[in-house]
Amino acid sequence: MTSFQDLGLAAPLLAALTAEGYENPTPIQGQAIPYLLQGNDLLGIAQTGTGKTAAFALPIIDRLLRDKKPTPRHGCRALILSPTRELASQIAQSFRSYGRNTKLKTAVVFGGVSGRPQAQELARGVDILVATPGRLIDHLDARAVNLGHVEVFVLDEADQMLDMGFIHAIRRLVPQLPKVRQNLFFSATMPKEIGALANELLRDPVEVSVTPVATTAERIAQKVIFVETARKRNLLVDLLKDDSMGRTLVFSRTKHGADRIVRHLDEANIPSSAIHGNKSQAQRERALADFRSGRRKILVATDIAARGIDVDGVTHVVNFDLPNMPESYVHRIGRTARAGAEGSAISFCDAEERAYLRDIEKLTRQNIPHEDYRLPATVAAEANARPSKPGRGRPGAKPAAKPFAAKPWGAKPGGSRSSGSRPFGERSFDDRPARADGPARGQQRFGREEQGQGRNDGFSARANNGPRQKPRFEGASDRPAGGEGRGRPGGNAGNGARSGGRGPGGGRQERFSDASYGKPARGR
């Protein structure tokens, strides 16, 4: 297929595609649309950014136009399930754009907003309904929607549905659908659970796979930087201050971590916005609109934005935290290099995330180039440093030791933790300050003659090697006297008893003797 005209789509669709500037279908569109126009079930394996939304939206609109029916009240003719609000809103907008020359009604239903206007719209009936599973079940329980008229059922991003725990909700919704329907199943990866669900839903499906499962786009330049956790935010600031960084998505593993990143960037005069589950729907839409329009070129997000957020011109993706699910890495970096463009993906990796990196490289079947992070001041010092001349200045001497450009624990200039100029963790034992109650580390606390022969000698030695102290209770200590070692003095305490013990006769009773087993100790 060389153009959309060759696919046999209806004239209103072709006019809308021309207005959108689309001329040639993507590989998944060229393969999937002919089968879908024939009414076949379909299993599509494709990454985000390959054009799969149009691959199912165009044949659905074409089918509804050719088979005109009244809009069912409290129902819909086509149902598309999406895992996230942003993706659902984007899919609904695509249907409106492609169906601009038709009278088809499209509605979107998701959480985070009032359900009353949604219920009122569903009461009048729609042709195409895009929904998230949770809110759709709410309307189903309230009897605001009837799924008995669905002709086409689409499950988009099925693997993310599994990750977000929506599989049970899907299994509850499917029995509400008519038995005779067309099923479309799309997923970027195919774990065993998703394969089992596809076998339950699809009937003799046509399988379309445009890329190998869990591979990354060839146009994305990937790089991993090994960096300590405490230095990640400073490294991010250094990267974003580079003029070559354009529209950038920064991914955090947690919601609170995303907010901390935004606050740190604001302190560095780098405007940014955050989008995650704790934000209200209005805040999420405003942040995404600012990012899409260019008012904010930095968007910090959790994995909620890793799929389906189709923002043109994303040049860089930064994984501030590596995802614990390797499939999420594929979807994160898929936000760049879309529609034939090129992009870059930079990932920060600390010591605890090395296992995540190995899983990612195993899944994607590639070794990602990596480098170690060095502070900018250290790099500048290395560039300006002259070779040292040990001894008498013979040529070929080793270079000077690297200067410590900054204190990793963030001490102020002048040092609040020590008087030395080097970081606290890098000084030798002799350089470290003495404790308040003893000598500096690396020195003996007291001499052998003050120690006695055993560890528990009943004496306390002073840090300044002062005179020995008498036992606190002469003749009543439960420890042997100094000089006697760890043995039993005088040999008068048999069966493990020690002199000066709490038992009768100055010796401790045997723990499990016939006389004391199961009885409380005397005097306790």
Side-chain angles (χ1 to χ4, degrees):
M1 300 293 180
T2 58
S3 65
F4 284 105
Q5 284 78 7
D6 299 328
L7 298 177
L9 296 171
L13 285 174
L14 295 177
L17 292 173
T18 302
E20 291 289 330
Y22 299 155
E23 297 180 359
N24 301 320
T26 64
I28 190 172
Q29 294 168 3
Q31 295 181 41
I33 289 177
Y35 290 112
L36 296 180
L37 291 177
Q38 297 173 8
N40 294 309
D41 284 9
L42 182 124
L43 174 61
I45 309 297
Q47 300 175 12
T48 57
T50 56
K52 59 184 174 63
T53 301
F56 63 77
L58 294 176
I60 288 176
I61 296 175
D62 186 272
R63 171 174 177 160
L64 299 183
L65 287 176
R66 297 181 186 276
D67 186 15
K68 295 183 179 181
K69 293 181 180 179
T71 302
R73 293 182 59 84
H74 295 281
C76 61
R77 299 181 63 188
L79 174 63
I80 298 91
L81 289 185
S82 167
T84 65
R85 306 171 191 174
E86 286 74 20
L87 181 55
S89 179
Q90 177 183 304
I91 293 174
Q93 183 59 41
S94 297
F95 270 99
R96 295 188 182 103
S97 298
Y98 302 145
R100 65 176 63 184
N101 300 319
T102 69
K103 296 182 179 180
L104 298 177
K105 297 180 181 179
T106 301
V108 59
V109 166
F110 50 72
V113 296
S114 174
R116 185 179 297 275
Q118 298 174 355
Q120 293 174 351
E121 189 172 13
L122 292 174
R124 294 187 293 269
V126 296
D127 296 291
I128 301 162
L129 177 61
V130 186
T132 55
R135 178 51 65 91
L136 183 59
I137 287 180
D138 293 340
H139 286 297
L140 197 64
D141 292 339
R143 298 185 178 182
V145 62
N146 180 9
L147 302 180
H149 300 279
V150 173
E151 302 173 24
V152 183
F153 173 59
V154 181
L155 186 61
D156 194 20
E157 301 287 356
D159 48 353
Q160 191 179 10
M161 293 279 194
L162 174 66
D163 296 340
M164 299 179 68
F166 285 141
I167 294 299
H168 298 293
I170 294 172
R171 294 187 185 279
R172 182 180 173 188
L173 289 170
V174 169
Q176 306 297 323
L177 303 173
K179 293 184 178 180
V180 179
R181 64 182 187 271
Q182 185 180 15
N183 301 286
L184 283 64
F185 195 100
F186 288 91
S187 182
T189 59
M190 191 55 62
K192 294 181 179 180
E193 296 85 350
I194 295 300
L197 182 62
N199 291 333
E200 296 177 16
L201 294 180
L202 303 178
R203 298 185 302 272
D204 192 19
V206 175
E207 183 172 343
V208 175
S209 179
V210 296
T211 56
V213 177
T215 58
T216 51
E218 298 179 355
R219 296 181 302 275
I220 302 176
Q222 302 175 62
K223 180 174 66 173
V224 173
I225 301 178
F226 294 128
V227 58
E228 299 174 3
T229 303
R231 294 181 175 178
K232 281 187 175 183
R233 286 184 290 181
N234 292 334
L235 172 58
L236 180 63
V237 171
D238 294 339
L239 288 176
L240 296 180
K241 284 185 176 180
D242 192 337
D243 294 336
S244 63
M245 300 288 289
R247 187 172 295 173
T248 304
L249 262 174
V250 180
F251 283 104
S252 170
R253 191 181 302 122
T254 65
K255 295 175 284 189
H256 296 294
D259 289 334
R260 286 194 296 268
I261 293 172
V262 170
R263 288 195 297 268
H264 188 75
L265 293 179
D266 288 342
E267 293 173 359
N269 296 322
I270 300 177
S272 61
S273 301
I275 178 173
H276 53 69
N278 281 356
K279 298 287 186 180
S280 67
Q281 185 60 29
Q283 290 173 324
R284 289 161 66 166
E285 291 179 355
R286 183 167 56 252
L288 192 57
D290 290 343
F291 183 64
R292 183 176 283 116
S293 64
R295 289 190 294 270
R296 297 284 180 96
K297 74 171 189 175
I298 310 298
L299 180 63
V300 184
T302 55
D303 282 324
I304 194 173
R307 306 191 192 195
I309 305 303
D310 188 5
V311 178
D312 295 333
V314 175
T315 61
H316 291 78
V317 170
V318 177
N319 290 305
F320 188 88
D321 301 310
L322 281 179
N324 51 10
M325 298 295 294
E327 293 85 1
S328 296
Y329 175 84
V330 178
H331 303 300
R332 285 183 178 186
I333 70 173
R335 300 303 93 215
T336 186
R338 299 172 72 87
E342 295 183 354
S344 298
I346 304 172
S347 302
F348 300 167
C349 180
D350 61 19
E352 297 181 354
E353 295 174 316
R354 296 292 182 98
Y356 299 156
L357 178 61
R358 290 192 295 269
D359 293 340
I360 291 170
E361 291 181 332
K362 180 179 179 181
L363 181 71
T364 58
R365 299 186 293 275
Q366 60 179 321
N367 293 324
I368 304 175
H370 58 80
E371 63 183 42
D372 294 326
Y373 171 61
R374 294 180 298 171
L375 293 172
T378 303
V379 177
E382 291 177 357
N384 298 327
R386 297 179 180 178
S388 62
K389 296 181 179 181
R392 297 184 179 180
R394 292 186 298 271
K398 295 181 179 179
K402 297 178 181 179
F404 289 91
K407 299 182 180 181
W409 32 266
K412 298 179 180 180
S416 60
R417 295 179 61 169
S418 70
S419 59
S421 60
R422 289 181 291 173
F424 186 83
E426 301 295 337
R427 293 198 299 277
S428 64
F429 283 114
D430 295 334
D431 291 340
R432 298 188 182 185
R435 294 186 178 183
D437 60 345
R441 295 187 181 181
Q443 302 177 10
Q444 276 193 329
R445 192 172 291 272
F446 34 73
R448 175 66 62 181
E449 62 274 16
E450 283 80 14
Q451 284 186 5
Q453 299 299 320
R455 290 183 299 178
N456 302 323
D457 56 2
F459 293 91
S460 61
R462 291 184 179 181
N464 59 357
N465 297 334
R468 296 166 60 186
Q469 303 295 319
K470 292 183 179 181
R472 289 172 294 178
F473 302 100
E474 188 70 32
S477 174
D478 59 351
R479 299 180 180 178
E484 293 294 335
R486 301 178 66 181
R488 293 181 290 274
N492 60 352
N495 296 330
R498 288 184 277 183
S499 63
R502 289 188 289 269
R508 189 192 303 269
Q509 292 182 352
E510 186 176 357
R511 177 176 293 182
F512 298 116
S513 64
D514 294 337
S516 63
Y517 181 71
K519 298 180 181 180
R522 185 177 302 175
R524 294 185 182 179

